Amino acid sequence: MFRFTTKTGFSLLELMAVVAVVGLVALIMVPRLSGSDDSSEVAACHVYKGHIEIQAELWRTNTGSWPAANLAAIGADTNYFPEGLPTCPVDGSAYTIDPATGLVVGHTH
Ligand SMILES: [Zn+2]
């Protein structure tokens, strides 16, 4: 049995309380989602590393050898990097590879 037989739905006061709580939660959550720390840069660095290593592998498949350690030729080739060679979003440094393995050196952020 309903105890509040005269009441239907939410009162204005209850709705305002809910809106206030939702607003408070949003205020707490938004700064965390917008990433004021550098974890998104670290994630981007890892994506760039993986992309460079894939393109280096492709370069080796096409040319028979790994690209130069400083990635000069492959970085300038728009077939491999149409938007140019990326730099590390964490520290702004250029990527280099180990010419023996084709793997990016460092960037263990
Ligand atoms: Zn990096």
Side-chain angles (χ1 to χ4, degrees):
M1 281 299 168
F2 291 111
R3 289 174 63 201
F4 304 109
T5 51
T6 58
K7 201 168 166 184
T8 56
F10 294 109
S11 71
L12 183 61
L13 197 65
E14 284 170 323
L15 279 174
M16 285 173 72
V18 169
V19 168
V21 169
V22 169
L24 198 65
V25 169
L27 277 176
I28 294 164
M29 290 302 292
V30 165
R32 294 181 188 183
L33 294 176
S34 63
S36 54
D37 60 281
D38 63 4
S39 62
S40 59
E41 279 86 359
V42 170
C45 177
H46 292 168
V47 170
Y48 289 154
K49 273 177 72 173
H51 182 60
I52 288 165
E53 288 167 0
I54 289 166
Q55 296 306 88
E57 182 74 49
L58 187 63
W59 176 275
R60 192 179 72 137
T61 301
N62 291 338
T63 68
S65 59
W66 291 111
N70 66 3
L71 300 167
I74 190 174
D77 190 328
T78 54
N79 290 315
Y80 294 88
F81 294 98
E83 284 150 34
L85 199 62
T87 55
C88 177
V90 178
D91 56 22
S93 64
Y95 289 100
T96 57
I97 62 162
D98 181 338
T101 63
L103 297 176
V104 171
V105 177
H107 294 279
T108 52
H109 306 294

